[in-house]
Amino acid sequence: MFIYISRGRHQHVVICTNANVPELLEILLTKSAAEFAEEGSWSKELGFVFGHLHYNFLNALTEKINELSSEFNAERIIAMGYSMGGFGAIQLGCFAPELFDAVVSVAGYGMGTSEPNSGYGAPQPVSGEIFDLFLEREACKLARVPVVLAVHAPSDMCSSFRDVSAIIQKTQETAWDTWERSTAKLVRVPDGMANSDHPGKKRKSNHGYFNCTLLHNGSEKMLWRELRRLVDRAPQRGGDSMDWEPERGWGRSRRWSRMYEDPPNSRSWGWCPT
C-alpha cells in the first residue's frame, strides 16, 4: 500500500505491507517530523531551530522498521537521507541506535546551528545553544551505531558543514570515551561538485550534490565503495563484536591540536587520518 500525504511544500510517501498502521497514519496526517514551537517558525524555515524532535513519530516509525526487518529477515538496516532526509537519518540513529547497522547523512544537519551567518537567518547565540544541547543529548547516542557516515560540501550554504563536522566529532569522541565499537567518518564533497545538480543556476547554494554522491558514476568513489567496506566490516546486530575493531578517525592524543582552521565550536580539535 502506498500512501501520499502533502503538507504545504513537503510530501511524505509511506510504503506499508498492510493497511493496519493506524498509529503511524495518525501521526503523519496530523504532525510533521518536527513540531514547531511557534507558528512563524514554519514560514521562516526555522523549524529545525525552534522545533523539537517528534518522539511519537520516531517511535512509530522505528517500530515499523523493526517489524519489517524481522519479517524479511533483513541482513543489514541502514538509515540514509539527503538534506532534510539526512537530518531524518540522524534523528533515527539517535532515537534507536541499536536498530541500525549504519547511519548515512548526505548534506544533512541537526537541531539548531552553530553557524553565525546561517542562510536561513537563524538568530545567535540561541541557535548555537540549541545545537550544543542537541550534541550533548542526542548526537552522542550515534556512538552506539557501528557505522556513521556523513557526506557534505564545506561550501554548502543551506546546511552547515561546521555542524555536521561537530556531529561526527561528538560521535567519535563519545565512542572513544565509552568504548563503543563505532566508526564515524566525514566525507568532503569538492567545492567544484557542490552545485553540480544545477550548474546553470546563477545563484549557487552549493547544496546540489545529490547526483554526484548518490546516482552518477562518481558516486561509487564518493560514497558507495566506502559505505560497503565499512558495513561489511561491522558486526551483525546483536552478534559478538569482540573481534571487530572500529576505525578511529579521531585520535585521542591529537584531539586538541589546531589542525583544522575553522572548528565547529570554541574548542580546538583536529582530524587524525587512520
Side-chain angles (χ1 to χ4, degrees), residues 68-256:
L68 293 176
S69 67
S70 298
E71 180 179 344
F72 292 99
N73 194 25
E75 182 178 349
R76 298 289 193 180
I77 301 177
I78 300 175
M80 173 183 283
Y82 186 93
S83 192
M84 185 182 289
F87 179 32
I90 291 174
Q91 288 184 58
L92 289 170
C94 294
F95 183 79
E98 70 285 346
L99 181 60
F100 299 98
D101 295 283
V103 169
V104 183
S105 173
V106 185
Y109 50 92
M111 288 292 298
T113 178
S114 63
E115 283 289 348
N117 299 306
S118 168
Y120 294 100
Q124 296 293 2
V126 62
S127 298
E129 293 170 353
I130 293 171
F131 181 72
D132 288 342
L133 193 62
F134 175 78
L135 285 181
E136 295 300 323
R137 291 186 176 180
E138 302 294 337
C140 60
K141 301 173 186 176
L142 288 173
R144 294 166 56 192
V145 180
V147 177
V148 180
L149 193 60
V151 184
H152 214 98
S155 59
D156 195 324
M157 299 174 64
C158 288
S159 56
S160 171
F161 179 82
R162 173 193 295 257
D163 292 349
V164 172
S165 299
I167 291 172
I168 293 297
Q169 177 195 6
K170 183 65 176 180
T171 301
Q172 192 65 90
E173 286 184 347
T174 303
W176 183 281
D177 293 337
T178 59
W179 297 96
E180 293 285 353
R181 294 176 176 268
S182 175
T183 296
K185 286 195 170 185
L186 175 62
V187 177
R188 297 170 182 242
V189 177
D191 288 346
M193 304 295 294
N195 208 59
S196 56
D197 288 348
H198 314 288
K201 278 194 173 182
K202 293 182 179 180
R203 183 180 179 183
K204 297 182 178 180
S205 65
N206 292 328
H207 189 66
Y209 40 97
F210 180 93
N211 290 319
C212 70
T213 55
L214 297 172
L215 297 181
H216 290 170
N217 293 336
S219 63
E220 174 66 16
K221 182 178 180 181
M222 183 85 72
L223 170 62
W224 299 116
R225 183 188 304 167
E226 180 69 356
L227 177 59
R228 282 199 305 271
R229 185 182 72 83
L230 293 174
V231 171
D232 286 345
R233 292 182 66 253
Q236 294 289 335
R237 295 184 313 280
D240 184 7
S241 62
M242 294 304 294
D243 60 344
W244 174 67
E245 180 64 25
E247 298 180 10
R248 298 296 185 186
W250 296 98
R252 177 185 291 272
S253 62
R254 302 174 66 186
R255 182 183 301 169
W256 310 119

Side-chain angles (χ1 to χ4, degrees), residues 41-57:
S41 301
W42 179 272
S43 61
K44 296 178 182 178
E45 298 189 359
L46 290 178
F48 74 102
V49 175
F50 296 111
H52 61 272
L53 301 180
H54 196 320
Y55 293 110
N56 290 337
F57 175 88

